[in-house]
Amino acid sequence: NAGVTQTPKFQVLKTGQSMTLQCAQDMNHEYMSWYRQDPGMGLRLIHYSVGAGITDQGEVPNGYNVSRSTTEDFPLRLLSAAPSQTSVYFCASSYGGPTTIYEQYFGPGTRLTVT
Amino acid sequence: DAKTTQPPSMDCAEGRAANLPCNHSTISGNEYVYWYRQIHSQGPQYIIHGLKNNETNEMASLIITEDRKSSTLILPHATLRDTAVYYCIVRRAASKLTFGTGTRLQVTL
């Protein structure tokens, strides 16, 4: 299994540009989520999904959109990039729904810089 | 979710046991204690979790006090590769985790 994969690894955007961060998992996990980590800080939840066609907002959803058309993929879209969105973005997945007690598997991250 | 308190940093000599404490005095009866770690800039890695009983796996042991208000993660024989930030998270479910700033463990020769 490849686990959780994220592309790209690095990205530089100009203010106002849009882009999609890709996340895929091959473990047939129902639950997937996106976090951001700012320098020296812990991770904060952006959006999550409990299955194909179902998404919900996390702690810091503004400026981001998600969709879940398949079990495997959970892309994160930046609508109009701002310097405040400079961060490292992590995707995670796990068995079960929102009440699962199973551990989450994290991807390697995408390092995004907005100038 | 119960609030957790961890020391910002700890040192440990290689080969010795690393004992990382976590206080969670407001934990409720159905909340689990989860431990993750983040090595350098990689994605967080699950270590262990428990509800009431002590738990052990191939990576670590988790000791939860009888009143459940605190816990200790034990790495029995720390190596340089265990240098990381360790996060203690208390939550009913493993989803929608809230990561604080954790404990930065430095393992030295």
Side-chain angles (χ1 to χ4, degrees), chain A residues 31 35 37 40-43 45 48 88 90 97-104 106-108 111, chain B residues 32 34 36 38 41-46 49 87 91-101:
Chain A
Y31 184 84
Y35 291 84
Q37 184 174 33
M41 307 285 287
L43 282 72
L45 182 66
Y48 65 95
V88 181
F90 292 102
T99 58
T100 180
I101 65 169
Y102 292 104
E103 66 269 27
Q104 292 197 50
F106 284 82
R111 284 147 185 79
Chain B
Y32 288 80
Y34 294 90
Y36 282 77
Q38 188 172 24
S41 305
Q42 299 175 21
Q45 176 189 26
Y46 166 82
H49 75 278
Y87 298 97
R91 184 160 169 76
R92 186 171 55 85
S95 60
K96 297 197 283 183
L97 298 175
T98 299
F99 288 78
T101 51

Side-chain angles (χ1 to χ4, degrees), chain A residues 9-114:
Chain A
K9 286 187 169 50
F10 300 94
Q11 182 70 50
V12 178
L13 290 178
K14 294 187 187 307
T15 297
Q17 287 184 316
S18 62
M19 79 159 296
T20 299
L21 280 62
Q22 302 292 343
C23 174
Q25 51 89 12
D26 60 358
M27 298 173 281
N28 203 30
H29 285 169
E30 298 92 335
Y31 184 84
M32 296 186 74
S33 55
W34 276 102
Y35 291 84
R36 62 176 285 175
Q37 184 174 33
D38 299 333
M41 307 285 287
L43 282 72
R44 292 184 292 170
L45 182 66
I46 305 172
H47 284 286
Y48 65 95
S49 168
V50 300
I54 306 170
T55 64
D56 206 346
Q57 296 181 350
E59 181 186 353
V60 287
N62 292 340
Y64 307 94
N65 269 359
V66 292
S67 60
R68 183 100 178 266
S69 55
T70 67
T71 300
E72 296 78 19
D73 301 299
F74 190 42
L76 178 72
R77 280 183 290 279
L78 278 70
L79 308 174
S80 176
S84 61
Q85 294 179 303
T86 293
S87 191
V88 181
Y89 292 83
F90 292 102
C91 178
S93 73
S94 70
Y95 289 109
T99 58
T100 180
I101 65 169
Y102 292 104
E103 66 269 27
Q104 292 197 50
Y105 294 80
F106 284 82
T110 293
R111 284 147 185 79
L112 175 69
T113 301
V114 183

